[in-house]
Amino acid sequence: MVPFLDLTRQYQRIKGEILSATQRIYEKGHFILGEEVSAFEKEFSHYCGVRYGVGVGSGTDALFLALKATGIGQGDEVVTVANSFVATALAVSFTGAKPLFVDIDPETNTMDPNHLELLLKRRRGKGSGRRIKAVLPVHLYGHPAEMDSILEIANRYDLIVIEDACQAHGAKYGKRKVGSFGIMGCFSFYPTKNLGGYGDGGMVVTNDKRYDQKLRLLRNYGEGKKYQHVLKGHNSRLDEIQAAILRVKLRYLDQWNEERRKKAKIYTERLSPLGVVCPSEKRGIHPIYHLYAIKTEKRDSLQAFLEAKGIETLIHYPIPIPLQKAYRELRYRRRDFPVTHRWSQEILSLPFYPEIRRHEMGEVTEGIRSFLRDG
Ligand SMILES: Cc1ncc(COP(=O)(O)O)c(C=O)c1O
């Protein structure tokens, strides 16, 4: 068996530190909004190169509360990408706003700035562009979106940019880390992420003090002083146990990201000569390989072949968000997103994480080699 991911191996590396960090919480008996969350907010926002961080209940909530903090709601529209995890669009829908989708760049799998510009031009031409308030690019698989172009276009159309960095902790675009480009950056600490807790969690990072303050209210029932509620807020807080675990793990994040990058290089060196399309890195971009996804026209039969050999793979994502049943009212069609549609048929995520063993990677690459030779 080659598992897609085995989180117990990471736990074994840091078991002692995790146990003493969590024991500290049990002995203190303080579980919500305490010292661990405050410290982690400082440490993680500092890591991202941003002034403030607000710990929330999940990555989905980070996106939802960030959008809500800007006042986006019913009657507004937010442009995002067709190829992402559904939560990106759900967060927009939760505010009452409507998500609009653009296609992705075939190489980076992230928002295609040309499609963004086309959509904005078309909407402005029809006079319906004023409803669009924000752009929500996604740094998918840990690969930064084309932030220079996206920010330039958003600026020209007077739109705010909020980043979905849920899969990209520590990825760099130029010299800066993702999450620091938009007015807010949103992260998930779902257990499988490059920086993951032992349950749900998320954070919004920002340089803007007003958003920091608004988010602190929004995540905690709109409570300013004790039992004084200045707005209708939510209950969405990162808890002390998760924060304590994440503080331990943050110390290893760069090392683990580097291990991922080295292992990605090995896969690419072995697989690209076989004719499968491997992830590529543009100059000045530093992806952190949350996933390692290849593309091949024979995806479905390759996946079945590997499965028969006990090698687990996954598809991120088999159905583009606008074509999901949940969004059928938007009436999008496949031809609206040719690249996303094509990749949804060809993309395959291989077993991949810092602790994956060399012989397991060898089994994966040998499996693909024999499929392509005989299949
Ligand atoms: C791109 C993207 N956006 C949003 C989310 C939502 O994060 P969470 O699962 O923590 O709610 C995820 C992760 O699941 C994600 O991968």
Side-chain angles (χ1 to χ4, degrees):
M1 273 299 292
V2 181
F4 184 76
L5 171 65
D6 179 358
L7 286 175
T8 64
R9 294 185 195 172
Q10 188 194 59
Y11 176 61
Q12 290 307 326
R13 290 171 90 173
I14 52 170
K15 188 173 173 177
E17 287 171 87
I18 293 287
L19 291 178
S20 67
T22 46
Q23 194 175 354
R24 221 165 49 223
I25 314 293
Y26 309 137
E27 280 165 7
K28 255 196 249 166
H30 188 129
F31 299 100
I32 303 289
L33 294 184
E35 285 167 13
E36 298 291 335
V37 170
S38 297
F40 180 58
E41 286 174 340
K42 285 198 187 82
E43 289 160 8
F44 188 67
S45 54
H46 179 76
Y47 176 82
C48 296
V50 170
R51 234 174 267 151
Y52 308 105
V54 182
V56 297
S58 67
T60 310
D61 279 359
L63 291 161
F64 164 59
L65 296 174
L67 289 159
K68 200 160 168 167
T70 67
I72 284 172
Q74 193 102 39
D76 296 328
E77 294 172 334
V78 175
V79 187
T80 189
V81 272
N83 189 33
S84 181
F85 181 57
V86 70
T88 311
L90 292 177
V92 176
S93 303
F94 294 160
T95 68
K98 181 172 152 186
L100 301 177
F101 300 94
V102 294
D103 211 352
I104 51 166
D105 176 278
E107 224 182 291
T108 65
N109 303 304
T110 64
M111 181 176 275
D112 184 334
N114 296 320
H115 282 240
L116 172 65
E117 173 106 54
L118 264 173
L119 173 85
L120 296 173
K121 220 187 249 171
R122 217 182 315 126
R123 285 294 187 117
R124 281 281 152 96
K126 282 192 196 159
S128 56
R130 303 260 167 256
R131 289 203 289 269
I132 302 176
K133 295 288 161 30
V135 184
L136 183 48
V138 182
H139 307 299
L140 201 73
Y141 311 150
H143 193 292
E146 270 302 327
M147 291 315 293
D148 281 348
S149 315
I150 292 168
L151 288 168
E152 187 275 317
I153 296 166
N155 197 27
R156 242 183 312 115
Y157 284 84
D158 199 19
L159 303 174
I160 56 173
V161 174
I162 295 174
E163 298 169 69
D164 181 339
C166 286
Q167 297 189 1
H169 318 71
K172 281 193 220 149
Y173 180 85
K175 292 208 163 62
R176 279 162 57 191
K177 295 215 174 95
V178 300
S180 67
F181 290 88
I183 58 164
M184 285 176 262
C186 303
F187 290 88
S188 162
F189 302 122
Y190 182 74
T192 60
K193 301 296 194 229
N194 290 33
L195 180 61
Y198 290 178
D200 278 310
M203 192 178 290
V204 184
V205 298
T206 182
N207 276 316
D208 191 321
K209 194 169 184 181
R210 286 164 311 165
Y211 287 131
D212 172 66
Q213 288 173 344
K214 184 98 180 263
L215 285 160
R216 285 178 194 285
L217 293 172
L218 281 172
R219 75 168 170 185
N220 194 33
Y221 314 110
E223 186 177 78
K225 291 193 183 132
K226 191 84 181 150
Y227 299 130
Q228 295 183 28
H229 302 271
V230 294
L231 50 81
K232 295 184 191 74
H234 300 258
N235 171 2
S236 179
R237 299 156 312 195
L238 182 68
D239 69 64
E240 286 285 284
I241 294 174
Q242 299 311 326
I245 291 166
L246 290 163
R247 289 184 72 195
V248 171
K249 287 196 173 192
L250 180 59
R251 299 200 281 272
Y252 294 94
L253 180 59
D254 283 340
Q255 179 194 327
W256 291 338
N257 279 345
E258 225 24 67
E259 288 172 16
R260 283 175 187 268
R261 286 176 53 78
K262 281 199 186 117
K263 289 187 163 151
K265 198 160 169 247
I266 295 173
Y267 262 153
T268 301
E269 278 166 6
R270 292 189 191 163
L271 294 175
S272 57
L274 304 180
V276 293
V277 180
C278 296
S280 57
E281 287 186 24
K282 280 193 190 160
R283 262 176 94 91
I285 304 275
H286 187 89
I288 46 84
Y289 295 91
H290 170 55
L291 297 169
Y292 186 91
I294 58 166
K295 291 161 191 155
T296 166
E297 284 174 14
K298 300 176 185 159
R299 193 270 311 279
D300 290 341
S301 40
L302 172 61
Q303 185 175 38
F305 182 86
L306 294 176
E307 193 185 341
K309 285 186 170 297
I311 298 169
E312 260 179 7
T313 57
L314 289 172
I315 299 168
H316 298 90
Y317 295 91
I319 306 174
I321 306 174
L323 303 182
Q324 294 279 359
K325 275 196 187 137
Y327 281 109
R328 63 182 161 244
E329 79 275 9
L330 299 179
R331 295 173 185 277
Y332 281 106
R333 273 167 292 188
R334 281 179 188 171
R335 64 167 184 264
D336 297 323
F337 316 100
V339 180
T340 300
H341 173 61
R342 182 163 170 213
W343 288 165
S344 71
Q345 309 296 302
E346 296 190 6
I347 203 113
L348 188 67
S349 303
L350 303 182
F352 186 74
Y353 50 107
E355 298 80 18
I356 189 172
R357 297 178 181 128
R358 280 197 172 240
H359 76 85
E360 290 172 320
M361 292 179 71
E363 280 180 51
V364 175
T365 52
E366 274 317 301
I368 296 173
R369 188 194 304 277
S370 58
F371 170 79
L372 292 171
R373 192 186 51 220
D374 309 328

